[in-house]
Each structure stands twice: as structure tokens, then as C-alpha cells.
């Protein structure tokens, strides 16, 4: 990989088509286009990672008081396992710190082992569980709530 061709920048409306394609491919329970659009309209901070002008991953987050809420981080399936989500989340930490955030909070499906491993490697710790938080194939699924200081 030529790291010089990697660029991380804010997500824009023109990126939506690429982002939705990655979302549909990477998630078992993808966000609808309307959710992505609403995050852009509400000016939630977000970043895309692109290589040679193609989007490979993105992260959408939000600020509440001094806490950054990580809402969605996704790497395109064929680019997973190459450190791109790590690069994106590091860029998010930097941006959130500049905005005065002290910590990052997130919810993750208890069945999402890759994401749990990723967040644990990133230094997140489980601080609670929300039972029946997400819809799932069987009925509902718990969310694990994780937190990391900045
Ligand atoms: C979770 C996700 C964002 C990780 O993206 P990625 O670009 O593959 O992650 P990275 O390559 O930066 O991985 C960094 C570390 O996370 C851990 N990790 C990532 N994917 C993993 C997997 N499938 N299994 C186990 N550990 C994993 C590893 O510790 C890895 O470090 P290592 O490669 O040195 O072992 C990606 O799997 C994804 O997009 N999943 C679908 C969307 C999703 O569930 N998002 C999270 C909830 S919103």
C-alpha cells in the first residue's frame, strides 16, 4: 500500500453513493440512506478515508457535552484487516480532542465480534449493556456499551 495516496477528510453529500454501497456490503444491519443523509444534514462530524479518490471507509460521530459518541465506523469489505479503521478512528480522536471531547462512547452489537475486537484493541472498555437494544433476526439483541478516554 502506498500510504501517500491515503487521504482522510470530512464526509460530504457527494460521497453518499459510495458510502451507501460500502454500508450495504459491510453491515448485516445497514443504515438506510435516510440515516446517512440526516447525519449530514444535522452536521454530525464525520470522516472518510480515501485511496486514490475512492472511499474505503468512513466514521460518523457526534458530540454531547464533553463526550464523543461513535455512531458508525465501516471499512469496505475487501479492504478490511489492513489498518484502515485504525487510521480513521485515530483521526476521529484527534478531531474530537480539538473539539474539547474527553472520552468516546459507543454501542456495539454483542454478536459483532470483529468490531468488539477492534474496539478492545483501540483501548475501549465495556461499561454496560443495554438488553434488547437492536433488532435482530431472532428478535432483539443486546448492545455492549464501551468507553475510552481521549
Ligand atoms: C470493525 C471494522 C470497522 C474494522 O475495520 P478494519 O479496517 O478491518 O480494522 P483494522 O484493519 O484497522 O483492524 C485493527 C485491529 O482491529 C482488530 N480487528 C479488526 N477486524 C478484526 C476481525 N475481523 N477479527 C478480529 N479482530 C479484528 C484487530 O486487532 C486489528 O489489529 P491487527 O490487524 O493488528 O490484528 C470492520 O470489520 C467493519 O467495517 N465491519 C462492519 C461494520 C461494523 O460492524 N462496524 C462497527 C459497528 S458500527
Amino acid at each position: 500500500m502506498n500510504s501517500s495516496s491515503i487521504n482522510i477528510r470530512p464526509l460530504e453529500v457527494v460521497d453518499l453513493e459510495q458510502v451507501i454501497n460500502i454500508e450495504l456490503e459491510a453491515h448485516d444491519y445497514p443504515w438506510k440512506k435516510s440515516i446517512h443523509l440526516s447525519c449530514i444534514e444535522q452536521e454530525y462530524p464525520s470522516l472518510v478515508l480515501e485511496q486514490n479518490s475512492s472511499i474505503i471507509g468512513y466514521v460518523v460521530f457526534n458530540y454531547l457535552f464533553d463526550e464523543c459518541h461513535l455512531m458508525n465506523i465501516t471499512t469496505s469489505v475487501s479492504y478490511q484487516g489492513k489498518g484502515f479503521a485504525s487510521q480513521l478512528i485515530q483521526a476521529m480522536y484527534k478531531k474530537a480532542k480539538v473539539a474539547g471531547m474527553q472520552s468516546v462512547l459507543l454501542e456495539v452489537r454483542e454478536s459483532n465480534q470483529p468490531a468488539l475486537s477492534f474496539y478492545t484493541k483501540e483501548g475501549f472498555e465495556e461499561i454496560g449493556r443495554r438488553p434488547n437494544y437492536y433488532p435482530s433476526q431472532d428478535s432483539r439483541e443486546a448492545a455492549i456499551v464501551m468507553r475510552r478516554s481521549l
Side-chain angles (χ1 to χ4, degrees):
M1 181 181 75
N2 176 6
S3 58
S4 64
S5 58
I6 299 287
N7 183 36
I8 297 181
R9 59 161 176 83
L11 191 160
E12 295 169 12
V13 180
V14 290
D15 301 322
L16 258 185
E17 196 180 328
Q18 282 189 80
V19 165
I20 302 294
N21 287 340
I22 295 171
E23 177 83 19
L24 290 174
E25 174 205 40
H27 285 262
D28 291 337
Y29 301 91
W31 276 11
K32 290 184 179 143
K33 184 177 180 181
S34 57
I35 300 182
H36 279 287
L37 199 53
S38 147
C39 288
I40 294 173
E41 283 167 358
Q42 292 179 72
E43 298 184 346
Y44 286 2
S46 53
L47 296 166
V48 295
L49 183 150
E50 56 185 4
Q51 188 177 38
N52 303 323
S53 305
S54 269
I55 294 175
I56 287 173
Y58 49 87
V59 58
V60 181
F61 44 109
N62 196 14
Y63 302 144
L64 187 64
F65 302 106
D66 62 355
E67 199 163 72
C68 173
H69 191 179
L70 173 48
M71 299 170 68
N72 188 342
I73 183 162
T74 308
T75 301
S76 173
V77 170
S78 48
Y79 291 91
Q80 288 179 6
K82 299 177 194 298
F84 289 119
S86 298
Q87 287 191 53
L88 261 175
I89 206 165
Q90 299 290 334
M92 186 200 78
Y93 299 152
K94 219 170 168 179
K95 198 171 157 89
K97 265 191 192 171
V98 169
M101 300 302 112
Q102 304 278 340
S103 62
V104 182
L105 194 85
L106 60 85
E107 287 100 15
V108 55
R109 286 178 182 270
E110 64 178 350
S111 64
N112 192 346
Q113 203 49 57
L116 283 165
S117 299
F118 170 66
Y119 295 136
T120 302
K121 172 139 195 232
E122 278 298 320
F124 284 84
E125 289 176 355
E126 179 175 336
I127 57 161
R129 273 171 189 255
R130 301 193 208 281
N132 304 316
Y133 189 74
Y134 294 109
S136 72
Q137 269 171 354
D138 300 333
S139 57
R140 307 285 300 178
E141 178 177 3
I144 297 180
V145 185
M146 302 185 92
R147 184 184 174 281
R148 178 197 191 277
S149 294
L150 282 174

